[in-house]
Structures are given as C-alpha cells and as structure tokens.
Amino acid sequence: MNYKVSLNGARVLVTGGASGLGRQLAMQSAAKGAHAIIWDLNLDAANKVASEIQSAGGSAEAHQVDVTNRDAVNALAVKVGGVDVLFNNAGVVSGDWFLDLDPASIERTYRVNVLALYWVTQAFLPAMVQGNSGCVATISSASGLLGVAKLTDYAASKFAAFGMMESLRSELRMKGSSVNTLTVCPHYIGTGMFDGVKTKFPWLLPILDERKVAAKILRSVEKGKAMLVLPKFVHVIPIVRALPIRWFDKITDFFGVNRTMDDFRGRA
C-alpha cells in the first residue's frame, strides 16, 4: 500500500491554524503547492494567516469554528468539502498542580485535546477512505509517552490522542486502506503555548523551533511515515519504561523532566 501523500495540489486542513505550529503547517503546506484550509476559533487571526499565504502567491481560506462543537464541525465540513490531509493540531494546556486544577479547565482540555479529534476526524475520514488515499495527522506530544508533573490533564489527553491514533492506524490496516495516519510526539515547542518551560539538558531535549517541526511533519506526510518523535532522544522513553518503576522515576528526575513546568506561564 502507498501511504505517501503529495502536498502539491492537495487540500490541507489545519485545526488551530491561526497561530504557532498550526500557522506554520498552513503556510508551509501552501508553499509546497497545497490549498490551506485554516480552522480556528479566532477568525481575525485565521484570516490574517490566509492573507499572508495569498500575498505570497499561495492558496488558502479561513473559517471560524469551535472544534469541540460536533454539530458546528459537521456543518462546516460539508461546506468545506473533502480534504487530502487533516492536521489535528488544535490544543490547550492548563499547567497547574493536580489539586489546583479548575474542573472547567480539565473539561476544556479533554474537549479540545481529545473529543475534538473524534469530531473532526469522523467528519473528514469517510471521504478519504472512499478515495483510498490521504493522511490524518494528529499532534500528540512527548507528554503522550511520559506523564509530567503539572500536566496531569494535558498528558492524559495526549496519551488519549496517541492511543486513538494507534487504534485508528490498526483499523485502517485491517481494512486494507491506503489512508495514512501520522502521530507526532514533540518535546516542548517554542510557540508561546508553553512559555516559561525550561529544560535541564537543552542539547538533548531542546525547546523546539516551530518552523523546523512543521517542516519535519510535512516531510513525514509526504514520505508516508506513521510516527514522528522529536527530538530523537525522546525515543528512549519506551526503553526506560522497561526498568523498575522507581528506577524509571529516578532517571526522569535526573533529566529534570518533572521540573520543566516550574516557571510555566503559558500564552498570554
């Protein structure tokens, strides 16, 4: 089966496409010849990205939508039409101690980071399956592989995203479909969403550049890859998990993983 997808001439939809990594995915997709469809709650910001793309000679459109609203997603999906590549990129983070988490924030994290994946993917996947081509790419996180202090809701939501995509990949494979799934698990990206986070060993676990991350994601789509973990050092997590749990904890503490959120501020 051929899982590769050419972005030249493709219709690419990006949720949360008005800022950060989503903006880069939209702009770089358009630079490769794709028609970028930008979905965001902030219509002004989404329109600005679309205008930037058009000013550079690319093709784009922008739409306002709350991806946690299933009816709104379905209605807009009908209006937009089929897509070749779907980037489930929209996400939120609370960044607080478990006992200090506001119940409304917990619910918001799950609505945006988990339930929206189902609503948006269910809206666009049927046409991909019918055409036996395309790619569903979901931005999980390194926190989808490793729980981190002050990220109990966020990490759990990203574990859910990872599990959903693994199961979806298996379902499509069992049905003999050529529709690809790409799960992206990056370390912290310097988009502002995690403003204030620190890393003890930046040469091993750097704060990632959103432009470079977007470029690697797009190359992974074009090559038909199923998984992208950034940086490469994050690949050691499954190996370290084979150790006794107290050893595992000591190793993660040594690398400062559970102190990364100490000075977290988040996006203003």
Side-chain angles (χ1 to χ4, degrees):
M1 288 179 285
N2 179 25
Y3 293 121
K4 296 180 179 180
V5 177
S6 173
L7 291 172
N8 186 19
R11 289 170 54 81
V12 174
L13 188 144
V14 186
T15 66
S19 62
L21 179 62
R23 174 178 173 273
Q24 286 296 323
L25 288 170
M27 294 187 71
Q28 292 187 35
S29 292
K32 285 177 173 283
H35 174 68
I37 304 167
I38 302 153
W39 278 20
D40 204 280
L41 200 57
N42 187 331
L43 182 58
D44 289 339
N47 279 328
K48 183 178 179 181
V49 176
S51 295
E52 287 183 71
I53 291 172
Q54 292 162 357
S55 296
S59 177
E61 62 186 83
H63 300 274
Q64 182 180 41
V65 63
D66 177 356
V67 291
T68 70
N69 185 324
R70 184 176 55 185
D71 291 337
V73 166
N74 288 335
L76 186 54
V78 171
K79 179 180 178 181
V80 165
V83 300
D84 300 293
V85 181
L86 167 62
F87 286 113
N88 285 313
N89 169 76
V92 295
V93 61
S94 303
D96 214 339
W97 297 105
F98 178 81
L99 293 178
D100 295 328
L101 281 171
D102 177 55
S105 295
I106 298 172
E107 292 179 0
R108 175 172 173 256
T109 296
Y110 277 84
R111 286 198 305 270
V112 177
N113 295 3
V114 182
L115 292 179
L117 304 181
Y118 288 83
W119 311 153
V120 178
T121 303
Q122 284 187 335
F124 290 101
L125 182 59
M128 292 185 187
V129 171
Q130 186 175 8
N132 200 35
S133 65
C135 177
V136 175
T138 292
I139 312 303
S140 180
S141 171
S143 291
L145 305 172
L146 169 69
V148 177
K150 298 184 75 175
L151 288 177
T152 53
D153 57 339
Y154 180 83
S157 73
K158 293 303 184 177
F159 267 78
F162 187 96
M164 186 203 88
M165 290 297 286
E166 189 163 77
S167 295
L168 180 58
R169 184 177 76 246
S170 296
E171 288 187 12
L172 291 168
R173 190 176 70 254
M174 292 300 97
K175 291 178 178 291
S177 176
S178 290
V179 176
N180 190 34
T181 61
L182 171 64
T183 306
V184 184
C185 296
H187 189 240
Y188 298 116
I189 305 174
T191 62
M193 182 175 175
F194 280 98
D195 188 34
V197 298
K198 295 180 179 178
T199 178
K200 185 177 180 181
F201 298 107
W203 53 281
L204 281 177
L205 292 168
I207 304 299
L208 302 172
D209 181 272
E210 62 189 73
R211 298 175 189 83
K212 294 180 179 178
V213 173
K216 289 181 179 181
I217 292 172
L218 295 180
R219 284 198 296 271
S220 295
V221 169
E222 293 173 318
K223 293 178 179 179
K225 290 186 175 182
M227 182 77 64
L228 177 62
V229 177
L230 298 169
K232 290 183 178 180
F233 186 72
V234 175
H235 281 288
V236 306
I237 292 175
I239 299 171
V240 178
R241 279 198 180 282
L243 298 173
I245 190 65
R246 298 305 179 191
W247 293 14
F248 175 79
D249 289 346
K250 287 180 181 297
I251 290 172
T252 57
D253 287 347
F254 170 78
F255 283 103
V257 172
N258 289 300
R259 310 300 311 193
T260 56
M261 294 287 291
D262 282 358
D263 299 314
F264 169 77
R265 294 183 297 273
R267 185 177 285 122

